[in-house]
Amino acid sequence: MRIGMGYDSHRLKKGRPLMLGGVQIPSPRGEAGHSDGDVLLHAITDAIYGALAEGDIGTHFPPSDPRHKDKPSRFFLSHALDLMESRGLRITNLDCTVILERPRLAPHREAIRASLSALLSLPPDAVSIKAKTKEGLDAAGRGKAIEAFAVLLLEERV
């Protein structure tokens, strides 16, 4: 078994879509990033790379590379999943936390969970999504940024 932990954060910018776990969330502001900025998929991707001791997204897809500008984050996740599968491993469970002041994520939690379940080939009961605020503290707490954490467990495929 191998454990991976991932983290990502982005500034929020007017006019950008807010993507979380492959789901577009209605919001006037979204992630400002080199790709579509989906912090949750980035954190999950980094957790996979971490469990494999393979660095992070920036190691595999440097933000200075214009070929990856505005790519959907599913592209990066797919690469990490392929690497994981090539080593005979699979994800057994995933626990995520998203930190965002607004909009409230509770109405979107099940859609995000279903999206992640499909993307990762996991049963929904193996995917946990939590939403937190920072109660006005730091950039995320002032509504200027979004953060995501992901922890997952890999085990050998049977």
Side-chain angles (χ1 to χ4, degrees), residues 74-132:
R74 292 172 190 224
F75 173 83
F76 310 117
L77 177 62
S78 178
H79 179 269
L81 289 169
D82 288 346
L83 186 59
M84 174 193 76
E85 290 169 5
S86 76
R87 296 200 183 162
L89 298 166
R90 69 181 184 93
I91 300 171
T92 60
N93 72 302
L94 171 68
D95 184 22
C96 302
T97 302
V98 177
I99 300 168
L100 180 68
E101 292 298 309
R102 287 175 298 292
R104 290 185 44 85
L105 295 180
H108 310 286
R109 184 176 295 139
E110 288 309 310
I112 296 168
R113 188 178 190 196
S115 174
L116 292 176
S117 177
L119 286 168
L120 301 171
S121 301
L122 287 172
D125 68 352
V127 178
S128 170
I129 306 294
K130 301 179 297 292
K132 303 289 182 185

Side-chain angles (χ1 to χ4, degrees), residues 25 27 67 69 125 150:
I25 307 297
S27 175
R67 293 178 298 166
K69 178 80 172 127
D125 68 352

Side-chain angles (χ1 to χ4, degrees), residues 1-14:
M1 288 191 214
R2 299 178 78 110
I3 296 172
M5 195 279 290
Y7 167 81
D8 195 33
S9 66
H10 285 289
R11 288 184 173 94
L12 293 172
K13 182 179 177 182
K14 286 185 181 184

